[in-house]
Amino acid sequence: MSIAYCNTNMRVPAGFRNLLEGLVREVLREQPTNVVTFAARYFQKLLELREADGIDPVAWGAMLED
């Protein structure tokens, strides 16, 4: 996926779209009053999951995008 920006094509890293879609889904489901704090906690939980279980949601999302 490329995004045109100032006559430059930028590539979105593999898995990034899936990662952001997961965040958006949770924000819409939870309706937090402070989205920035919610996002920080969401990504912290994903990081802890990756470190504890070896499950990397970004790598998983990259496989789904292919």
Side-chain angles (χ1 to χ4, degrees):
M1 179 173 150
S2 296
I3 299 172
Y5 179 76
C6 296
N7 297 326
T8 303
N9 286 331
M10 301 177 79
R11 301 261 324 141
V12 176
F16 188 68
R17 179 179 176 170
N18 186 269
L19 185 67
L20 289 183
E21 285 176 354
L23 172 63
V24 169
R25 208 172 12 256
E26 290 301 310
V27 166
L28 292 174
R29 188 172 65 82
E30 293 286 331
Q31 300 286 310
T33 55
N34 187 333
V35 176
V36 174
T37 301
F38 181 85
R41 289 183 184 145
Y42 175 81
F43 288 125
Q44 184 63 40
K45 286 179 190 175
L46 288 181
L47 181 61
E48 290 169 1
L49 178 66
R50 184 179 73 181
E51 291 174 347
D53 299 335
I55 300 169
D56 188 356
V58 176
W60 181 257
M63 288 188 311
L64 294 175
E65 290 176 2
D66 288 340

